[in-house]
Amino acid sequence: MISSSSLYYSPVIVILLYALTFSFSVSARPATFLQDFKVAWADSHIKQIDGGKAIQLILDQNSGCGFASKSKYLFGRVSMKIKLVPGDSAGTVTAFYMNSDTDNVRDELDFEFLGNRSGQPYTVQTNVYVHGKGDKEQRINLWFDPSADFHTYTILWNHHHTVFYVDAVPIRVYKNNEAKGIPFPKFQPMGVYSTLWEADDWATRGGLEKINWSKSPFYAYYKDFDIEGCAMPGPANCASNPRNWWEGANYQQLSAVEARQYRWVRTNHMIYDYCTDKSRNPVPPPECVAGI
């Protein structure tokens, strides 16, 4: 006979058993830094915090720094939480990007956070390189202070489109328009990279605002490193598997809510779009006509 107390506690036991099963079947994310990444340059300017759950990047007059993933990936989603350089960060660039690391025909998906003079909004520049051709810059001013706290920056890349997200809000979409003869990055695996470096010849107001070294060293912080994708080399059929979650129906186009957020960002916060820059592109590039 089953007692009433057994009946009362059985849901709790079921939940605990499920939790234990789930913990053994699903890899823990986010990862620590050294699980997926390595220092790419200036080891002395990257410091691990909290047992590698977070890192600090340092820029001073001696050097910037950077890190890279240990593997390359072909499709998936990459995200990190970043707290950007505070105060007078003019002339600094904090970058988070994917790159095929190939010479002439590289594919690349860029977040570049352009420093500012104190009190001015932080600008995020995104760029897309496909088969060696870039020059697809868009810029938005963030609607919050990204140096006051951590915010999540994400790149989703599948067979249908590439989407750049800020705190789950889409700020850029680059669609697969191969059917219209427009290249799309789908053949080359890409590594995940981040750097903190000086670029005061262009970063802030087109290079008008120079870096103030009296404010150095400059710091950026990262945590919650999350890479979910097809690591290369790996199973030959991984990248083409339609059952990968990032290829699912919910990720093949923006949801209705995301579409509204996307329009809001572009209407209220976009400050530059290469598609509408007549001085650079008197005739809009084909991907602009086909639909970003």
Side-chain angles (χ1 to χ4, degrees), residues 138-159:
Q138 293 182 357
R139 294 179 183 175
I140 67 163
N141 282 339
L142 289 172
W143 50 95
F144 54 85
D145 179 359
S147 67
D149 203 352
F150 286 93
H151 292 266
T152 304
Y153 304 93
T154 304
I155 299 171
L156 172 72
W157 174 34
N158 61 30
H159 283 81

Side-chain angles (χ1 to χ4, degrees), residues 128-224:
V128 176
Y129 282 78
V130 185
H131 303 175
K133 180 68 171 67
D135 299 326
K136 299 177 179 65
E137 300 94 343
Q138 293 182 357
R139 294 179 183 175
I140 67 163
N141 282 339
L142 289 172
W143 50 95
F144 54 85
D145 179 359
S147 67
D149 203 352
F150 286 93
H151 292 266
T152 304
Y153 304 93
T154 304
I155 299 171
L156 172 72
W157 174 34
N158 61 30
H159 283 81
H160 304 275
H161 58 189
T162 295
V163 187
F164 297 78
Y165 291 93
V166 174
D167 289 335
V169 174
I171 66 166
R172 180 167 189 176
V173 179
Y174 190 87
K175 291 183 180 178
N176 184 342
N177 281 306
E178 285 184 308
K180 299 179 181 179
I182 298 165
F184 184 78
K186 60 181 279 189
F187 300 109
Q188 300 190 95
M190 290 190 266
V192 183
Y193 299 85
S194 188
T195 55
L196 175 59
W197 53 293
E198 173 199 355
D200 68 359
D201 56 333
W202 65 273
T204 308
R205 294 184 60 215
L208 295 177
E209 303 281 1
K210 300 301 183 182
I211 197 166
N212 183 353
W213 287 114
S214 71
K215 303 293 184 180
S216 69
F218 302 99
Y219 301 109
Y221 296 87
Y222 291 70
K223 67 178 184 178
D224 291 3

Side-chain angles (χ1 to χ4, degrees), residues 19-292:
L20 286 170
T21 302
F22 187 81
S23 67
F24 285 114
S25 62
V26 178
S27 61
R29 291 291 180 176
T32 60
F33 175 70
L34 287 179
Q35 280 181 256
D36 291 330
F37 295 95
K38 60 186 177 182
V39 175
W41 58 289
D43 181 76
S44 63
H45 284 58
I46 295 182
K47 298 187 183 301
Q48 294 188 54
I49 302 170
D50 192 20
K53 293 180 181 178
I55 58 169
Q56 178 193 61
L57 271 61
I58 304 167
L59 168 64
D60 57 27
Q61 283 185 281
N62 294 316
S63 182
C65 58
F67 63 88
S69 60
K70 295 177 180 177
S71 300
K72 290 185 177 181
Y73 302 85
L74 192 55
F75 302 114
R77 184 185 67 183
V78 180
S79 71
M80 299 181 188
K81 289 184 179 178
I82 307 174
K83 183 161 68 171
L84 295 173
V85 176
D88 186 350
S89 57
T92 69
V93 174
T94 307
F96 161 42
Y97 60 102
M98 301 188 72
N99 190 321
S100 63
D101 196 25
T102 45
D103 293 334
N104 297 322
V105 291
R106 83 179 188 273
D107 293 333
E108 186 170 313
L109 308 170
D110 294 337
F111 271 113
E112 293 179 307
F113 305 95
L114 312 183
N116 62 0
R117 285 267 102 95
S118 297
Q120 299 301 311
Y122 241 102
T123 297
V124 178
Q125 175 170 282
T126 58
N127 201 354
V128 176
Y129 282 78
V130 185
H131 303 175
K133 180 68 171 67
D135 299 326
K136 299 177 179 65
E137 300 94 343
Q138 293 182 357
R139 294 179 183 175
I140 67 163
N141 282 339
L142 289 172
W143 50 95
F144 54 85
D145 179 359
S147 67
D149 203 352
F150 286 93
H151 292 266
T152 304
Y153 304 93
T154 304
I155 299 171
L156 172 72
W157 174 34
N158 61 30
H159 283 81
H160 304 275
H161 58 189
T162 295
V163 187
F164 297 78
Y165 291 93
V166 174
D167 289 335
V169 174
I171 66 166
R172 180 167 189 176
V173 179
Y174 190 87
K175 291 183 180 178
N176 184 342
N177 281 306
E178 285 184 308
K180 299 179 181 179
I182 298 165
F184 184 78
K186 60 181 279 189
F187 300 109
Q188 300 190 95
M190 290 190 266
V192 183
Y193 299 85
S194 188
T195 55
L196 175 59
W197 53 293
E198 173 199 355
D200 68 359
D201 56 333
W202 65 273
T204 308
R205 294 184 60 215
L208 295 177
E209 303 281 1
K210 300 301 183 182
I211 197 166
N212 183 353
W213 287 114
S214 71
K215 303 293 184 180
S216 69
F218 302 99
Y219 301 109
Y221 296 87
Y222 291 70
K223 67 178 184 178
D224 291 3
F225 311 97
D226 190 359
I227 303 177
E228 298 178 64
C230 290
M232 296 290 159
N237 62 346
C238 180
S240 59
N241 188 348
R243 288 181 293 181
N244 291 328
W245 71 258
W246 53 85
E247 300 287 357
N250 291 338
Y251 301 94
Q252 295 178 13
Q253 59 185 7
L254 298 184
S255 68
V257 171
E258 289 176 332
R260 288 195 295 271
Q261 293 172 327
Y262 184 54
R263 288 192 294 271
W264 174 78
V265 169
R266 296 177 72 82
T267 299
N268 296 285
H269 298 281
M270 175 166 277
I271 59 173
Y272 178 80
D273 183 0
Y274 78 107
C275 287
T276 58
D277 187 342
K278 299 296 185 183
S279 63
R280 286 179 61 189
N281 299 303
V283 177
E287 69 272 11
C288 298
V289 178
I292 297 288

